[in-house]
Amino acid sequence: MLLVVSGPSGAGKDSLVDELRRLEPDLAYSVSATTRTPRPGERDGVHYFFISRPEFERMDSEGAFIETREYANNLYGTPKRFVEDALASGRDIVMKPEVNGALAIKRAFPHAVLVFLTAPSEQELAERLERRRTEGPDAISKRLEIAREEARHIGAYEYLVVNDSLAAALVKLHAVLRAERLKTSRLHEKNGSD
Ligand code: 5GP
C-alpha cells in the first residue's frame, strides 16, 4: 500500500510521519529528491537526496521520478525505483509530498491512500511556520498562499486528519493505516484478481 500523507507546509507532516514510522518500523519511507539546501540537522539520503538543479533535471529527463514539483523556487521529486521495488517486495510505503504531488501519485497508483493533514486554522498554520524558524517572512507568506490553494483539493483525498495535537493525529493516521490493511480489496490486489 502507498500511504500518502499530504497537506500544507506547517501542518505537521514531518513529525507525524516520523511518529508513525516509529510505531510501524516495517513501513518503508520514500525519500524524495530536492534542490533545496539542507536545513540544520537534515541528512542526505535520510531526509532528502539533496541534489543540484542540473542533476535533478537530468534524472527527470531519464524518467527517474514518478512526479516532480517546483515548490517555493525549489524542485522536489519522488524517485520511481524505490517505490516500485518496495511495492514489488510487498512492503507498505509512506510518503509526504505536497498536494499536487499527492494527486500525481494517485494518478500513477490509483490504489494509493491519500490523507490530507491540516492545521486547525490558517492562523495556527502561520504560527507553526513562524515557530519553526526555518523560513523568513517572505517564504512563510508564500507557503501560506500555497496552503490556501492546496485546501481546494481536499475532495480528492480519502481521509482528512486535523492536526490539533500530535498524539491525537497519530492515533487517527494509525487507524487509517490499520483499517486500510484490513480491506478485502487489498487481498484481491495481492492475488492479482483486482
Ligand atoms: P520542505 O522544503 O518544507 O521540506 O518541503 C516543502 C514541500 O515540498 C512540503 O509540502 C513537502 O511535503 C513537499 N515535498 C517533499 N518532497 C516532495 C516530493 O517528492 N514531491 C512533491 N510533489 N512534494 C514534495
Side-chain angles (χ1 to χ4, degrees), residues 1-167:
M1 183 204 323
L2 257 181
L3 181 66
V4 182
V5 179
S6 186
S9 175
K13 296 191 289 281
D14 294 352
S15 320
L16 186 60
V17 169
D18 283 353
E19 289 300 319
L20 184 69
R21 290 172 64 205
R22 247 189 284 278
L23 286 178
E24 294 279 343
D26 290 338
L27 200 52
Y29 175 64
S30 168
V31 178
S32 292
T34 183
T35 61
R36 158 165 93 56
T37 44
R39 295 181 187 131
E42 282 185 332
R43 283 189 289 140
D44 187 44
V46 176
H47 298 92
Y48 282 105
F49 295 107
F50 294 100
I51 59 178
S52 66
R53 189 170 273 258
E55 195 179 350
F56 191 106
E57 284 165 352
R58 181 186 56 76
M59 287 175 68
D60 193 20
S61 69
E62 290 169 356
F65 299 118
I66 300 170
E67 59 79 37
T68 63
R69 188 74 187 168
E70 176 124 24
Y71 180 97
N73 303 322
N74 288 300
L75 295 169
Y76 294 81
T78 307
K80 191 184 279 177
R81 182 77 179 274
F82 177 81
V83 172
E84 287 178 350
D85 288 354
L87 288 178
S89 67
R91 293 182 74 190
D92 292 336
I93 308 179
V94 64
M95 56 175 68
K96 43 181 174 110
E98 50 66 65
V99 172
N100 291 284
L103 302 178
I105 297 285
K106 187 76 177 173
R107 282 193 294 275
F109 297 92
H111 295 296
V113 177
L114 267 53
V115 178
F116 194 96
L117 181 72
T118 184
S121 66
E122 188 177 321
Q123 191 186 338
E124 174 67 24
L125 195 63
E127 284 169 15
R128 285 184 194 179
L129 285 170
E130 278 157 23
R131 270 201 304 273
R132 179 161 108 171
R133 291 174 187 273
T134 51
E135 282 85 23
D138 287 352
I140 289 181
S141 53
K142 176 136 201 196
R143 282 175 183 238
L144 287 174
E145 198 183 301
I146 297 172
R148 265 174 238 131
E149 157 62 24
E150 287 177 329
R152 294 179 39 231
H153 297 284
I154 286 182
Y157 284 68
E158 274 79 25
Y159 297 95
L160 171 67
V161 172
V162 177
N163 189 1
D164 26 29
S165 85
L166 180 59

